[in-house]
Amino acid sequence: MTEWTDHTARARTWFESLRDRICAEFEAIEREAGSDASFAYTPWNREADGEAVENGASDTGGGVQGLMKGKVFEKVGVNVSTVQGEFSKEFAGTINGASAETPGFTATGISLVAHMANPHVPAVHMNTRFLTTSKAWFGGGGDLNPPFPYDEDTADFHAEYKAACDRHDPEYYPKFKKWADDYFWIPHRKVHRGVGGIFYDHLECADDAAFEANFAFTRDVGEAFLGVFPKLVRRRMGMAFNDAEKLQQLQYRGRYAEFNLVWDRGTLFGLKTGGNIDAILMSLPPEAVWS
């Protein structure tokens, strides 16, 4: 298949609906903590050839950055975007199905990073996406990043993703768990970024049937996140903490920032495709220390 416009539109609609439900749940948690914090939404347009695109002047696309700073969520970003255009000739050769001769692409997806006020509440990352070049594929996953790991939280997080994977293929969870373990490794620190989760990419769609199967799996990945992470937040957000524990959280955040700036492919993809800088770097923590 070479025409994926309708499929991209379907994926986009679902990613946006997932965003709405996640943000509503996070705001509900803030209300439970006595906070009136809400998401602020900022639309942006993709930059083409290094120049800002005016509203309606181009079909290169854009997205919406959702950002909330509250009592429980010290900083949480939930971004959705749908962009299209051409990769630079140098970058095209690094992307599945693209080349200097065929640099065209579309990409739609949701990306979420939450940094929590209480160091006992785990930070988290989740994203799912659908991309097309000369090929079409889904990717995504989620991983838990606690400064203070709790075995119960880790087990529940992995169990939710394992159940989602097992509904589609019994080989998915061990394969995608290992992929996450390998990907979220900080080589210069020789440590994992967190306690893992799942990561998958290039879940290719050769035809409509493959698209439907992979889209169903990707939806389940999103639902798994929504099903488990709010439970972990509510479990830990009332725990007492001291200055030493807060310092440990800030030191941990330094490692998180290092990974995202040095090793993360999503950061590079956004920067190389004219994405919004604030949306791309929303994954960075609001405060961190190096010592």
Side-chain angles (χ1 to χ4, degrees):
M1 291 182 63
T2 57
E3 179 48 63
W4 294 101
T5 301
D6 291 343
H7 302 76
T8 297
R10 283 181 57 199
R12 172 183 182 172
T13 296
W14 192 81
F15 294 143
E16 290 175 349
S17 72
L18 179 63
R19 182 268 316 273
D20 293 344
R21 289 185 292 135
I22 289 173
C23 291
E25 186 68 11
F26 286 1
E27 288 178 351
I29 290 173
E30 286 290 330
R31 301 296 171 271
E32 293 165 21
S35 163
D36 62 357
S38 297
F39 278 88
Y41 297 100
T42 305
W44 58 271
N45 294 303
R46 177 177 172 262
E47 292 186 357
D49 297 326
E51 303 210 356
V53 178
E54 298 297 331
N55 283 329
S58 174
D59 63 355
T60 54
V64 177
Q65 178 189 18
L67 187 66
M68 179 172 72
K69 297 181 178 180
K71 183 176 180 180
V72 179
F73 294 87
E74 188 171 343
K75 177 187 176 185
V76 54
V78 187
N79 297 339
V80 292
S81 62
T82 301
V83 297
Q84 53 274 333
E86 293 186 351
F87 297 119
S88 68
K89 291 183 178 181
E90 296 77 14
F91 189 57
T94 69
I95 302 296
N96 185 39
S99 67
E101 294 72 34
T102 57
F105 76 94
T106 68
T108 185
I110 177 173
S111 180
L112 177 155
V113 175
H115 294 288
M116 313 306 294
N118 188 320
H120 295 286
V121 183
V124 76
H125 158 258
M126 185 276 294
N127 80 87
T128 55
R129 56 194 179 273
F130 177 62
L131 291 92
T132 72
T133 53
S134 64
K135 300 180 179 180
W137 72 96
F138 284 93
D143 63 292
L144 200 65
N145 301 275
F148 295 90
Y150 289 92
D151 290 344
E152 180 186 13
D153 294 354
T154 301
D156 287 352
F157 190 79
H158 279 272
E160 194 79 22
Y161 276 115
K162 183 178 186 300
C165 289
D166 287 350
R167 284 193 289 273
H168 297 268
D169 189 325
E171 296 184 1
Y172 274 2
Y173 176 72
K175 177 181 178 181
F176 297 155
K177 177 185 182 299
K178 183 181 185 305
W179 202 339
D181 289 341
D182 292 343
Y183 182 75
F184 295 112
W185 169 258
I186 308 175
H188 62 276
R189 295 283 187 183
K190 295 181 171 55
V191 295
H192 287 100
R193 191 175 77 171
V195 296
I198 65 168
F199 179 82
Y200 65 100
D201 205 1
H202 303 159
L203 209 59
E204 296 198 7
C205 305
D207 51 31
D208 273 329
F211 173 87
E212 295 300 340
N214 294 336
F215 189 25
F217 171 65
T218 295
R219 293 197 302 270
D220 275 355
V221 169
E223 296 294 350
F225 173 83
L226 186 56
V228 69
F229 184 66
K231 294 179 182 178
L232 304 186
V233 176
R234 290 183 169 101
R235 180 183 292 167
R236 304 293 172 194
M237 68 186 196
M239 293 180 65
F241 61 90
N242 57 36
D243 290 344
E245 290 168 331
K246 188 65 178 180
L247 176 60
Q248 184 168 327
Q249 179 196 45
L250 298 181
Q251 291 170 335
Y252 174 81
R253 286 179 177 176
R255 293 182 177 182
Y256 193 97
E258 289 172 11
F259 177 88
N260 279 34
L261 290 174
V262 177
W263 302 105
D264 188 66
R265 295 194 330 224
T267 301
L268 180 63
F269 183 91
L271 295 173
K272 291 288 189 179
T273 56
N276 176 270
I277 300 299
D278 291 331
I280 296 165
L281 298 182
M282 66 86 181
S283 62
L284 297 180
E287 184 180 6
V289 300
W290 285 263
S291 60

